[in-house]
Amino acid sequence: MHVADPNEDGLLNRAAAGDSSAANQILMQYRDRLRQMIAVRMDARVRSRFDPSEVIQETLIEATRKLPDYLCRRPIPLYPWLRQIAWERLVHLHERHLKTQKRSVLREARWDWELPDHSVTELVQRLVASGTSPSHNAVRRELRECVRETLNQLSDDDREVLVLWYLEQLSPGEIAWILKMTPSGV
């Protein structure tokens, strides 16, 4: 889970006062977290054409353009705001390159997207600890299948909380902002 940077408020205040190096620094500190989110969410078919770095670059360019307005209002914590911009860029990329005749990605609810197989496997791995003996490996394989089946039976909201917590490593407060829930609901 990501731990909040205690200097973030100071950087935000300096950026709001017009310090462009503080604005750049505050955006760059979230680059790796954005990369993780995009890696979890990007469809393999899109990944074969585009590198996640392209989505991050577009996100940071748009965030730089929108930052003055954000700094005036600060409606939500910075990372969920940046993540939303990245999410919109990713949805646009998927829509443009995976659009079908009858169903657009944009018509789907935000967390109705199925996770790419590599992300589902990663989530299962993180929920089931690993070991070394052959018998333990067999038990874990069986447990992984049970966990995968259970994940498929969860509501979209519950599954999304697990993805945000385990794969994107967001805090309960960040998850609450993104899913419009209370931290205790998370």
Side-chain angles (χ1 to χ4, degrees), residues 19-39:
D19 183 342
S20 60
S21 69
N24 189 45
Q25 185 178 350
I26 196 88
L27 294 175
M28 289 301 132
Q29 78 180 12
Y30 288 110
R31 194 175 186 92
D32 290 339
R33 290 184 76 192
L34 291 170
R35 180 179 309 282
Q36 176 66 21
M37 185 277 283
I38 291 164

Side-chain angles (χ1 to χ4, degrees), residues 3-176:
V3 178
D5 180 355
N7 299 322
E8 185 173 291
D9 282 337
L11 284 171
L12 287 170
N13 291 335
R14 286 180 32 216
D19 183 342
S20 60
S21 69
N24 189 45
Q25 185 178 350
I26 196 88
L27 294 175
M28 289 301 132
Q29 78 180 12
Y30 288 110
R31 194 175 186 92
D32 290 339
R33 290 184 76 192
L34 291 170
R35 180 179 309 282
Q36 176 66 21
M37 185 277 283
I38 291 164
V40 166
R41 306 295 181 158
M42 187 179 267
D43 186 283
R45 296 169 293 176
V46 173
R47 188 184 310 266
S48 69
R49 296 183 208 165
F50 295 93
D51 187 79
S53 296
E54 293 175 69
V55 178
I56 293 167
Q57 183 177 7
E58 289 177 9
T59 298
L60 293 176
I61 288 169
E62 187 171 347
T64 299
R65 187 178 59 74
K66 292 181 173 182
L67 190 60
D69 181 56
Y70 170 83
L71 291 170
C72 286
R73 298 182 308 114
R74 298 189 199 184
I76 63 174
L78 183 63
Y79 180 73
W81 178 76
L82 285 170
R83 186 189 178 281
Q84 182 60 37
I85 294 171
W87 177 261
E88 290 166 1
R89 301 299 315 155
L90 194 57
V91 166
H92 178 72
L93 191 64
H94 279 92
E95 179 190 43
R96 204 167 16 139
H97 295 281
L98 300 178
K99 190 174 183 179
T100 63
Q101 291 178 358
K102 294 186 179 178
R103 189 167 170 180
S104 165
V105 173
L106 288 178
R107 294 173 68 189
E108 296 181 20
R110 182 178 42 175
W111 49 81
D112 284 350
W113 259 2
E114 285 193 30
L115 283 176
D117 287 340
H118 72 275
S119 294
V120 173
T121 301
E122 175 74 17
L123 180 57
V124 170
Q125 293 291 68
R126 290 193 185 197
L127 291 171
V128 179
S130 63
T132 56
S133 75
S135 63
H136 282 105
N137 286 339
V139 168
R140 265 186 301 288
R141 266 193 308 276
E142 187 175 319
L143 182 57
R144 277 194 295 269
E145 267 315 301
C146 288
V147 169
R148 185 181 295 265
E149 288 174 24
T150 301
L151 285 172
N152 287 333
Q153 294 172 9
L154 288 176
S155 73
D156 291 340
D157 289 347
D158 290 341
R159 188 173 36 255
E160 185 65 8
V161 167
L162 293 174
V163 169
L164 293 170
W165 176 264
Y166 284 100
L167 297 182
E168 292 191 38
Q169 300 180 343
L170 272 60
S171 70
E174 291 169 329
I175 295 169

